Amino acid sequence: MVFEATLIGLLCYLGALSSPWLFGLTGGWYLLSRPLVSGMLVGLILGDVKTGIMIGVAVQAVYIAMVTPGGSMPADLNFVAYPAIALGILSGKGPEVAVALAATIGIAGTILFNTMMVLNSFWNHRADSALERGDERGIYLNSAIWPQATNFVLRFVPTFIAVYFGAQYISGFMDSLPAIVISTMSVLGGILPAVGIAILLKQIIKNYTMIIYFLVGFICIVFLKLNMVALVIVGALLALIHYNYKPEAPQTAAAKSTVDDEDEF
């Protein structure tokens, strides 16, 4: 299990917000730290790709509308993507319980993220002091090497410990919990993806009448049992109808008054 925990810890570091190795944010934060991607990778490492993808899809739905403006972190998606999904797979309790675990670990991960920000301020002050002394090596070490070493330690070590020891104890720990706790976690885990989708709709829908298209898709999936290919075709037809045949916007009052003034002359 040491090898698997090491791989997952390395992926957690490579996908961190401030890790520069995989084209910066492009290959790390916006690719490896997406739960949909990490679920497949962690499942492949732990030998259960199907469960990894199922958990990754459920967790991705929760955080699908999460944004991090200016480094603001409502939850640390990196810890959600790796130690949380790994523990979800190892627990063997299904995607719903894994989602509840991910939400808890993601919020706790913000503590480590803020710790890293505080330590980076320390390295910045040391780099400023090196700059005043004209110490080029000190500038390089305190602006590039030590901050990345701190980032590595704060990402790799907790992930390694969680996966290595979690593999031995998480299943027994989950079995020891009362049934009501597991049921509560399952209910919460089932609700959280819906909350994520609702937040996304809140962000992208300008006119609340547009929600009718979401409801049409819901009916097609739940009641008509259409597959995704058929749903895409239905969605494309509805988009074509909406954008080609929607009524034109009424003229504004200002435009009407301008026309009236010209008629008087």
Side-chain angles (χ1 to χ4, degrees):
M1 198 62 197
V2 174
F3 179 70
E4 290 85 348
T6 301
L7 280 181
I8 295 172
L10 287 174
L11 287 173
C12 185
Y13 164 67
L14 292 174
L17 185 61
S18 54
S19 178
W21 307 113
L22 298 177
F23 304 104
L25 294 177
T26 303
W29 179 251
Y30 290 116
L31 181 62
L32 286 185
S33 280
R34 301 304 100 179
L36 189 60
V37 176
S38 66
M40 181 193 69
L41 295 176
V42 173
L44 185 64
I45 292 170
L46 296 179
D48 193 349
V49 178
K50 179 181 178 181
T51 302
I53 292 175
M54 290 174 61
I55 292 176
V57 169
V59 174
Q60 181 71 72
V62 178
Y63 296 96
I64 194 170
M66 193 187 84
V67 293
T68 54
S72 173
M73 296 282 268
D76 195 323
L77 192 60
N78 187 244
F79 278 104
V80 169
Y82 287 100
I85 288 182
L87 290 177
I89 295 174
L90 294 171
S91 69
K93 297 297 181 181
E96 293 83 5
V97 174
V99 167
L101 283 173
T104 304
I105 294 174
I107 295 172
T110 56
I111 298 173
L112 289 177
F113 177 79
N114 291 328
T115 300
M116 185 186 69
M117 294 294 101
V118 171
L119 292 175
N120 281 347
S121 298
F122 170 74
W123 299 125
N124 287 339
H125 286 303
R126 287 175 56 91
D128 290 340
S129 299
L131 181 62
E132 293 174 358
R133 298 192 308 268
D135 182 4
E136 294 183 3
R137 183 172 181 273
I139 295 171
Y140 177 71
L141 288 175
N142 289 287
S143 62
I145 301 301
W146 301 135
Q148 280 305 309
T150 302
N151 189 23
F152 177 81
V153 170
L154 291 178
R155 298 289 172 179
F156 177 84
V157 173
T159 303
F160 180 87
I161 291 174
V163 176
Y164 181 74
F165 290 102
Q168 304 176 41
Y169 302 114
I170 186 66
S171 181
F173 173 74
M174 296 300 293
D175 290 337
S176 68
L177 292 176
I180 189 172
V181 174
I182 299 296
S183 300
T184 303
M185 294 177 69
S186 298
V187 171
L188 291 176
I191 292 173
L192 286 174
V195 174
I197 296 295
I199 295 173
L200 179 65
L201 292 175
K202 178 71 174 178
Q203 292 178 357
I204 64 176
I205 290 180
K206 304 299 182 183
N207 187 344
Y208 284 107
T209 58
M210 296 287 290
I211 202 170
I212 189 66
Y213 296 115
F214 172 77
L215 296 176
V216 169
F218 179 79
I219 291 171
C220 289
I221 290 291
V222 175
F223 296 102
L224 300 182
K225 307 297 183 183
L226 297 182
N227 58 31
M228 293 304 297
V229 175
L231 187 64
V232 168
I233 295 173
V234 171
L237 292 174
L238 290 175
L240 179 66
I241 293 171
H242 177 81
Y243 287 104
N244 284 348
Y245 303 105
K246 65 180 179 180
E248 295 190 10
Q251 293 181 343
T252 61
K256 290 182 179 179
S257 62
T258 304
V259 173
D260 292 340
D261 292 341
E262 291 178 356
D263 290 341
E264 290 177 1
F265 290 108

